[in-house]
Amino acid sequence: MNASATAATALLVMEEERRADVYPPEVMSRLDPLVAWQGPPLTRQQLDADPSVLGEVEVLLTGWGAPVLDATLLGHAPRLRAVLVAAGSVRHLTTPAFWERGMPIVSAAAANAVPVAEFTLAHVLLGLKQVHRVAREVAGSRRYPRDVAVPGAYQSRVGLLGLGHIGRLVAAHLARFDVDVLATDPLATPEAARQAGVRLVGVEELFATCHVVSLHAPLLPETRGTVGAGLLDSLLPGATLINTARGALIDEPEAVRVLRARPDLTAVLDVTHPEPPAHDSPLFDLPNVVLTPHLGGATGAERARLGLLVLDELRRFVQGLPLQHAVDPARAASLA
Protein backbone atom coordinates (compact mmCIF):
# COMPACT_ATOMS: atom_id res chain seq x y z
CA MET A 1 0.00 0.00 0.00
CA ASN A 2 1.13 3.52 -0.75
CA ALA A 3 0.91 5.47 2.47
CA SER A 4 1.68 9.16 2.52
CA ALA A 5 4.15 10.79 4.86
CA THR A 6 1.29 11.93 7.07
CA ALA A 7 -0.36 8.51 7.21
CA ALA A 8 -1.29 7.05 10.58
CA THR A 9 -0.72 3.41 11.47
CA ALA A 10 -4.21 1.97 11.67
CA LEU A 11 -6.21 -1.20 12.20
CA LEU A 12 -9.85 -1.95 11.35
CA VAL A 13 -11.67 -4.14 13.89
CA MET A 14 -15.40 -4.88 13.62
CA GLU A 15 -17.83 -7.67 12.89
CA GLU A 16 -17.41 -9.21 9.46
CA GLU A 17 -21.13 -9.35 8.62
CA ARG A 18 -21.57 -5.58 8.22
CA ARG A 19 -17.99 -4.58 7.38
CA ALA A 20 -18.52 -4.41 3.62
CA ASP A 21 -21.58 -2.19 4.09
CA VAL A 22 -19.87 0.26 6.43
CA TYR A 23 -16.51 0.26 4.65
CA PRO A 24 -17.31 -0.59 1.02
CA PRO A 25 -14.53 -0.54 -1.63
CA GLU A 26 -15.15 3.11 -2.50
CA VAL A 27 -14.59 4.09 1.14
CA MET A 28 -11.63 1.78 1.65
CA SER A 29 -9.90 3.14 -1.47
CA ARG A 30 -10.10 6.64 0.01
CA LEU A 31 -8.88 5.45 3.41
CA ASP A 32 -5.78 3.76 1.97
CA PRO A 33 -3.77 6.96 1.25
CA LEU A 34 -4.39 8.16 4.80
CA VAL A 35 -3.19 5.12 6.71
CA ALA A 36 -0.49 2.50 6.94
CA TRP A 37 -2.53 -0.59 7.71
CA GLN A 38 -1.08 -2.66 10.55
CA GLY A 39 -2.75 -5.73 9.12
CA PRO A 40 -5.94 -6.99 7.46
CA PRO A 41 -9.34 -6.20 9.03
CA LEU A 42 -10.05 -8.26 12.13
CA THR A 43 -13.08 -9.21 14.18
CA ARG A 44 -13.13 -8.60 17.91
CA GLN A 45 -12.62 -12.32 18.48
CA GLN A 46 -9.57 -12.38 16.21
CA LEU A 47 -8.13 -9.38 18.04
CA ASP A 48 -8.70 -11.10 21.38
CA ALA A 49 -6.69 -14.08 20.09
CA ASP A 50 -3.68 -11.88 19.22
CA PRO A 51 -3.85 -8.42 20.83
CA SER A 52 -0.13 -7.86 20.13
CA VAL A 53 -1.14 -6.58 16.67
CA LEU A 54 -2.12 -3.32 18.44
CA GLY A 55 1.48 -2.59 19.41
CA GLU A 56 2.14 0.00 16.68
CA VAL A 57 -1.45 1.11 16.04
CA GLU A 58 -2.12 4.84 16.30
CA VAL A 59 -5.73 4.87 15.08
CA LEU A 60 -8.32 2.17 15.68
CA LEU A 61 -11.16 2.11 13.15
CA THR A 62 -14.21 0.14 14.11
CA GLY A 63 -17.99 -0.13 13.91
CA TRP A 64 -20.52 -2.77 14.96
CA GLY A 65 -18.79 -5.48 16.96
CA ALA A 66 -16.15 -3.09 18.29
CA PRO A 67 -13.77 -4.22 21.04
CA VAL A 68 -14.24 -2.88 24.56
CA LEU A 69 -11.58 -0.25 25.29
CA ASP A 70 -10.58 -1.54 28.71
CA ALA A 71 -7.26 -1.50 30.52
CA THR A 72 -6.24 -4.88 29.09
CA LEU A 73 -6.74 -3.86 25.48
CA LEU A 74 -5.17 -0.44 26.01
CA GLY A 75 -2.16 -2.07 27.59
CA HIS A 76 -1.44 -3.69 24.21
CA ALA A 77 -1.84 -0.34 22.39
CA PRO A 78 0.71 2.09 23.86
CA ARG A 79 0.75 4.26 20.71
CA LEU A 80 -3.01 4.50 20.25
CA ARG A 81 -4.05 8.14 19.76
CA ALA A 82 -7.63 7.98 18.47
CA VAL A 83 -10.60 5.64 18.05
CA LEU A 84 -13.03 6.21 15.17
CA VAL A 85 -16.33 4.35 15.52
CA ALA A 86 -18.61 3.92 12.50
CA ALA A 87 -21.65 3.35 14.71
CA GLY A 88 -23.93 5.44 16.88
CA SER A 89 -23.28 4.70 20.54
CA VAL A 90 -19.86 4.43 22.17
CA ARG A 91 -21.08 3.96 25.74
CA HIS A 92 -20.62 0.19 25.70
CA LEU A 93 -17.04 0.54 24.38
CA THR A 94 -15.60 3.14 26.71
CA THR A 95 -14.29 2.51 30.21
CA PRO A 96 -12.65 4.69 32.89
CA ALA A 97 -9.28 3.38 31.67
CA PHE A 98 -10.03 4.69 28.19
CA TRP A 99 -11.05 8.17 29.33
CA GLU A 100 -7.94 8.37 31.49
CA ARG A 101 -5.82 8.12 28.34
CA GLY A 102 -7.28 11.44 27.17
CA MET A 103 -7.58 10.40 23.54
CA PRO A 104 -10.52 11.29 21.29
CA ILE A 105 -13.21 8.83 20.29
CA VAL A 106 -15.37 9.65 17.29
CA SER A 107 -18.98 8.51 17.02
CA ALA A 108 -20.87 8.35 13.73
CA ALA A 109 -24.13 9.11 15.55
CA ALA A 110 -24.77 12.08 13.26
CA ALA A 111 -24.64 9.83 10.18
CA ASN A 112 -26.69 7.11 11.85
CA ALA A 113 -29.30 9.71 12.74
CA VAL A 114 -30.16 10.35 9.09
CA PRO A 115 -32.11 7.15 8.30
CA VAL A 116 -33.68 7.06 11.78
CA ALA A 117 -34.98 10.59 11.34
CA GLU A 118 -36.31 9.76 7.86
CA PHE A 119 -38.10 6.67 9.21
CA THR A 120 -39.50 8.73 12.07
CA LEU A 121 -40.70 11.50 9.77
CA ALA A 122 -42.57 8.97 7.62
CA HIS A 123 -44.39 7.56 10.65
CA VAL A 124 -45.08 11.00 12.11
CA LEU A 125 -46.88 12.00 8.91
CA LEU A 126 -48.72 8.66 8.80
CA GLY A 127 -49.60 9.14 12.48
CA LEU A 128 -51.02 12.61 11.90
CA LYS A 129 -53.31 11.07 9.28
CA GLN A 130 -53.91 8.15 11.71
CA VAL A 131 -53.31 5.79 8.80
CA HIS A 132 -52.78 2.68 10.93
CA ARG A 133 -55.91 3.24 13.02
CA VAL A 134 -58.12 3.98 10.02
CA ALA A 135 -56.73 0.99 8.11
CA ARG A 136 -57.57 -1.28 11.07
CA GLU A 137 -61.11 0.07 11.21
CA VAL A 138 -61.60 -0.28 7.45
CA ALA A 139 -60.39 -3.88 7.54
CA GLY A 140 -62.62 -4.67 10.51
CA SER A 141 -65.81 -3.06 9.16
CA ARG A 142 -65.18 -3.75 5.44
CA ARG A 143 -66.40 -0.27 4.60
CA TYR A 144 -64.99 3.20 4.16
CA PRO A 145 -66.04 5.77 6.77
CA ARG A 146 -67.14 9.22 5.60
CA ASP A 147 -65.32 12.39 6.65
CA VAL A 148 -62.64 10.69 8.69
CA ALA A 149 -61.60 13.00 11.54
CA VAL A 150 -57.80 13.05 11.75
CA PRO A 151 -55.42 15.86 12.76
CA GLY A 152 -53.37 15.88 9.55
CA ALA A 153 -50.21 17.94 9.18
CA TYR A 154 -51.87 21.31 9.71
CA GLN A 155 -51.65 23.06 13.08
CA SER A 156 -51.33 19.71 14.82
CA ARG A 157 -48.80 18.86 17.53
CA VAL A 158 -45.84 16.52 17.43
CA GLY A 159 -43.90 15.71 20.58
CA LEU A 160 -40.25 14.65 20.76
CA LEU A 161 -38.92 12.97 23.89
CA GLY A 162 -35.23 13.80 23.54
CA LEU A 163 -33.28 16.38 21.53
CA GLY A 164 -30.09 14.53 20.68
CA HIS A 165 -28.79 14.01 17.15
CA ILE A 166 -31.94 12.26 15.99
CA GLY A 167 -34.44 14.42 17.85
CA ARG A 168 -32.93 17.60 16.41
CA LEU A 169 -32.89 16.16 12.90
CA VAL A 170 -36.54 15.10 13.18
CA ALA A 171 -37.36 18.63 14.34
CA ALA A 172 -35.52 20.03 11.30
CA HIS A 173 -37.56 17.80 8.98
CA LEU A 174 -40.80 18.85 10.67
CA ALA A 175 -39.92 22.53 10.22
CA ARG A 176 -41.08 22.13 6.61
CA PHE A 177 -44.61 21.35 7.77
CA ASP A 178 -47.32 23.41 9.40
CA VAL A 179 -47.10 21.62 12.75
CA ASP A 180 -46.24 22.68 16.30
CA VAL A 181 -43.24 20.72 17.59
CA LEU A 182 -42.87 20.25 21.34
CA ALA A 183 -39.96 18.57 23.10
CA THR A 184 -38.96 17.24 26.50
CA ASP A 185 -35.27 16.99 27.31
CA PRO A 186 -33.82 17.87 30.74
CA LEU A 187 -30.43 18.64 29.16
CA ALA A 188 -31.72 20.95 26.43
CA THR A 189 -31.27 24.67 27.02
CA PRO A 190 -33.82 27.24 25.86
CA GLU A 191 -31.27 28.38 23.25
CA ALA A 192 -30.83 24.82 21.95
CA ALA A 193 -34.61 24.46 21.74
CA ARG A 194 -34.88 27.76 19.88
CA GLN A 195 -32.26 26.66 17.37
CA ALA A 196 -34.11 23.36 16.89
CA GLY A 197 -37.39 25.18 16.37
CA VAL A 198 -39.17 23.43 19.22
CA ARG A 199 -40.93 24.47 22.40
CA LEU A 200 -39.78 22.81 25.63
CA VAL A 201 -42.53 21.39 27.84
CA GLY A 202 -42.83 18.85 30.63
CA VAL A 203 -43.27 15.20 29.76
CA GLU A 204 -46.87 15.19 31.00
CA GLU A 205 -47.85 18.03 28.66
CA LEU A 206 -45.96 16.36 25.81
CA PHE A 207 -48.02 13.18 26.04
CA ALA A 208 -51.34 14.80 26.89
CA THR A 209 -51.37 17.39 24.10
CA CYS A 210 -49.53 15.89 21.11
CA HIS A 211 -51.13 13.90 18.31
CA VAL A 212 -47.88 11.99 17.74
CA VAL A 213 -45.13 11.38 20.32
CA SER A 214 -41.74 10.10 19.16
CA LEU A 215 -39.09 8.76 21.55
CA HIS A 216 -35.44 9.79 21.05
CA ALA A 217 -34.05 9.67 24.59
CA PRO A 218 -30.99 7.65 25.66
CA LEU A 219 -31.50 4.63 27.90
CA LEU A 220 -30.16 5.61 31.32
CA PRO A 221 -31.13 4.43 34.80
CA GLU A 222 -33.34 7.50 35.16
CA THR A 223 -35.06 7.01 31.76
CA ARG A 224 -35.71 3.26 31.99
CA GLY A 225 -39.47 2.63 32.03
CA THR A 226 -40.23 6.36 31.64
CA VAL A 227 -43.21 5.69 29.40
CA GLY A 228 -45.73 3.90 31.57
CA ALA A 229 -49.48 3.61 31.96
CA GLY A 230 -50.01 7.17 33.17
CA LEU A 231 -48.36 8.83 30.19
CA LEU A 232 -49.79 6.41 27.65
CA ASP A 233 -53.34 6.68 28.92
CA SER A 234 -53.08 10.47 28.73
CA LEU A 235 -52.51 10.36 24.96
CA LEU A 236 -55.11 12.05 22.78
CA PRO A 237 -57.72 9.88 21.03
CA GLY A 238 -56.15 8.24 17.99
CA ALA A 239 -52.62 9.29 18.95
CA THR A 240 -49.51 7.50 17.72
CA LEU A 241 -46.44 6.60 19.78
CA ILE A 242 -43.19 5.97 17.88
CA ASN A 243 -40.12 4.39 19.44
CA THR A 244 -36.87 4.25 17.46
CA ALA A 245 -34.66 4.82 20.52
CA ARG A 246 -34.45 2.05 23.12
CA GLY A 247 -37.12 -0.51 23.92
CA ALA A 248 -36.66 -0.26 27.68
CA LEU A 249 -37.78 3.38 27.69
CA ILE A 250 -41.28 1.89 27.67
CA ASP A 251 -42.69 -0.14 30.56
CA GLU A 252 -43.92 -2.96 28.34
CA PRO A 253 -46.44 -4.66 30.70
CA GLU A 254 -48.09 -1.28 31.37
CA ALA A 255 -48.01 -0.40 27.68
CA VAL A 256 -49.73 -3.67 26.80
CA ARG A 257 -52.50 -2.98 29.31
CA VAL A 258 -53.13 0.51 27.95
CA LEU A 259 -52.99 -0.54 24.30
CA ARG A 260 -55.49 -3.31 24.96
CA ALA A 261 -57.85 -0.86 26.65
CA ARG A 262 -57.25 1.89 24.06
CA PRO A 263 -57.63 0.38 20.55
CA ASP A 264 -57.67 3.93 19.18
CA LEU A 265 -53.96 4.31 19.98
CA THR A 266 -51.16 3.07 17.73
CA ALA A 267 -47.64 2.13 18.86
CA VAL A 268 -44.95 1.93 16.19
CA LEU A 269 -42.10 0.03 17.84
CA ASP A 270 -38.86 -0.26 15.89
CA VAL A 271 -37.14 -1.29 19.13
CA THR A 272 -38.33 -3.49 22.01
CA HIS A 273 -37.01 -4.89 25.26
CA PRO A 274 -36.02 -7.68 25.05
CA GLU A 275 -35.16 -7.59 21.37
CA PRO A 276 -36.67 -9.36 19.58
CA PRO A 277 -39.71 -9.75 21.84
CA ALA A 278 -40.23 -13.11 23.49
CA HIS A 279 -42.04 -15.57 21.24
CA ASP A 280 -45.17 -15.35 23.40
CA SER A 281 -45.09 -11.56 23.77
CA PRO A 282 -48.53 -9.94 23.51
CA LEU A 283 -46.96 -7.27 21.30
CA PHE A 284 -47.21 -9.71 18.39
CA ASP A 285 -50.97 -10.07 18.88
CA LEU A 286 -52.06 -6.50 19.54
CA PRO A 287 -53.61 -5.09 16.35
CA ASN A 288 -52.62 -1.54 17.28
CA VAL A 289 -48.91 -2.35 17.56
CA VAL A 290 -46.63 -2.08 14.53
CA LEU A 291 -43.41 -4.04 15.09
CA THR A 292 -40.37 -3.53 12.86
CA PRO A 293 -36.84 -4.94 13.38
CA HIS A 294 -34.64 -1.83 13.52
CA LEU A 295 -35.69 -0.70 10.05
CA GLY A 296 -35.17 2.86 11.20
CA GLY A 297 -31.43 2.42 11.63
CA ALA A 298 -28.89 2.35 8.84
CA THR A 299 -29.34 -0.74 6.68
CA GLY A 300 -27.48 -2.02 3.64
CA ALA A 301 -25.98 0.75 1.52
CA GLU A 302 -27.10 3.39 4.06
CA ARG A 303 -24.34 2.16 6.38
CA ALA A 304 -21.70 3.62 4.06
CA ARG A 305 -22.66 7.05 5.44
CA LEU A 306 -21.06 5.98 8.72
CA GLY A 307 -17.87 4.89 7.00
CA LEU A 308 -17.72 8.18 5.11
CA LEU A 309 -18.00 10.11 8.38
CA VAL A 310 -15.07 8.10 9.77
CA LEU A 311 -13.14 8.77 6.56
CA ASP A 312 -13.67 12.53 6.92
CA GLU A 313 -12.64 12.45 10.57
CA LEU A 314 -9.53 10.40 9.80
CA ARG A 315 -8.53 12.93 7.15
CA ARG A 316 -8.88 15.71 9.71
CA PHE A 317 -6.89 13.71 12.26
CA VAL A 318 -3.88 13.09 10.00
CA GLN A 319 -3.94 16.74 8.91
CA GLY A 320 -3.95 17.92 12.52
CA LEU A 321 -7.37 19.56 12.24
CA PRO A 322 -10.03 19.55 15.01
CA LEU A 323 -12.34 16.54 14.91
CA GLN A 324 -15.99 17.38 14.31
CA HIS A 325 -17.61 14.30 15.84
CA ALA A 326 -15.47 13.53 18.89
CA VAL A 327 -17.52 12.55 21.93
CA ASP A 328 -17.35 15.01 24.81
CA PRO A 329 -16.20 12.99 27.86
CA ALA A 330 -18.38 15.17 30.11
CA ARG A 331 -21.50 14.13 28.17
CA ALA A 332 -20.55 10.56 27.31
CA ALA A 333 -22.56 9.02 30.14
CA SER A 334 -25.78 10.73 29.01
CA LEU A 335 -25.57 9.68 25.36
CA ALA A 336 -27.53 6.81 23.86
Side-chain angles (χ1 to χ4, degrees):
M1 153 193 350
N2 295 322
S4 69
T6 58
T9 304
L11 184 68
L12 172 57
V13 181
M14 68 172 292
E15 68 176 42
E16 191 171 2
E17 180 183 359
R18 287 182 272 197
R19 186 193 300 151
D21 286 343
V22 177
Y23 296 102
E26 58 269 28
V27 174
M28 292 299 294
S29 66
R30 294 165 65 184
L31 282 169
D32 284 343
L34 301 173
V35 300
W37 293 111
Q38 181 64 15
L42 302 176
T43 64
R44 179 172 55 196
Q45 293 74 21
Q46 291 169 326
L47 179 64
D48 288 343
D50 183 17
S52 66
V53 72
L54 292 169
E56 300 298 318
V57 171
E58 297 173 290
V59 180
L60 178 64
L61 277 65
T62 185
W64 282 280
V68 176
L69 304 168
D70 57 17
T72 300
L73 180 143
L74 294 169
H76 292 283
R79 298 187 61 194
L80 189 63
R81 295 193 292 132
V83 179
L84 311 182
V85 185
S89 176
V90 300
R91 265 206 305 154
H92 61 295
L93 310 180
T94 52
T95 65
F98 172 79
W99 294 117
E100 287 171 8
R101 285 278 291 265
M103 75 181 74
I105 182 168
V106 162
S107 163
N112 195 52
V114 174
V116 182
E118 293 169 346
F119 180 92
T120 300
L121 174 65
H123 280 285
V124 166
L125 295 176
L126 290 174
L128 292 174
K129 284 288 191 179
Q130 298 188 5
V131 168
H132 295 299
R133 175 188 67 81
V134 173
R136 292 193 301 270
E137 293 177 358
V138 167
S141 65
R142 294 180 177 268
R143 64 181 181 82
Y144 281 9
R146 298 182 61 185
D147 289 332
V148 180
V150 298
Y154 179 69
Q155 297 185 354
S156 48
R157 281 187 173 181
V158 177
L160 306 177
L161 183 63
L163 275 181
H165 284 296
I166 298 171
R168 294 195 304 272
L169 190 50
V170 172
H173 287 325
L174 290 171
R176 294 177 288 154
F177 301 91
D178 195 357
V179 295
D180 186 17
V181 184
L182 279 58
T184 297
D185 188 325
L187 299 180
T189 64
E191 176 60 18
R194 186 192 66 77
Q195 292 180 358
V198 306
R199 180 163 62 88
L200 290 175
V201 298
V203 67
E204 291 82 8
E205 181 177 351
L206 191 84
F207 274 76
T209 66
C210 290
H211 301 94
V212 176
V213 174
S214 189
L215 308 186
H216 303 290
L219 180 60
L220 305 170
E222 56 268 31
T223 62
R224 182 178 294 271
T226 291
V227 182
L231 291 177
L232 290 170
D233 203 34
S234 73
L235 286 167
L236 295 170
T240 297
L241 175 74
I242 304 166
N243 190 9
T244 58
R246 293 290 186 268
L249 293 173
I250 297 175
D251 184 319
E252 184 180 306
E254 292 191 7
V256 167
R257 287 196 294 273
V258 173
L259 290 167
R260 279 177 173 157
R262 295 276 310 271
D264 61 295
L265 300 178
T266 297
V268 177
L269 307 179
D270 196 45
V271 290
T272 59
H273 182 74
E275 198 167 277
H279 184 73
D280 59 351
S281 171
L283 293 177
F284 287 117
D285 300 317
L286 285 168
N288 52 344
V289 172
V290 179
L291 288 174
T292 53
H294 269 317
L295 290 183
T299 60
E302 292 177 322
R303 294 171 181 154
R305 281 196 185 105
L306 284 69
L308 287 170
L309 183 146
V310 164
L311 168 66
D312 290 341
E313 290 288 78
L314 179 61
R315 184 178 293 112
R316 298 180 70 83
F317 179 80
V318 299
Q319 293 175 353
L321 299 173
L323 299 174
Q324 295 182 326
H325 299 278
V327 176
D328 180 356
R331 297 192 61 233
S334 65
L335 298 176

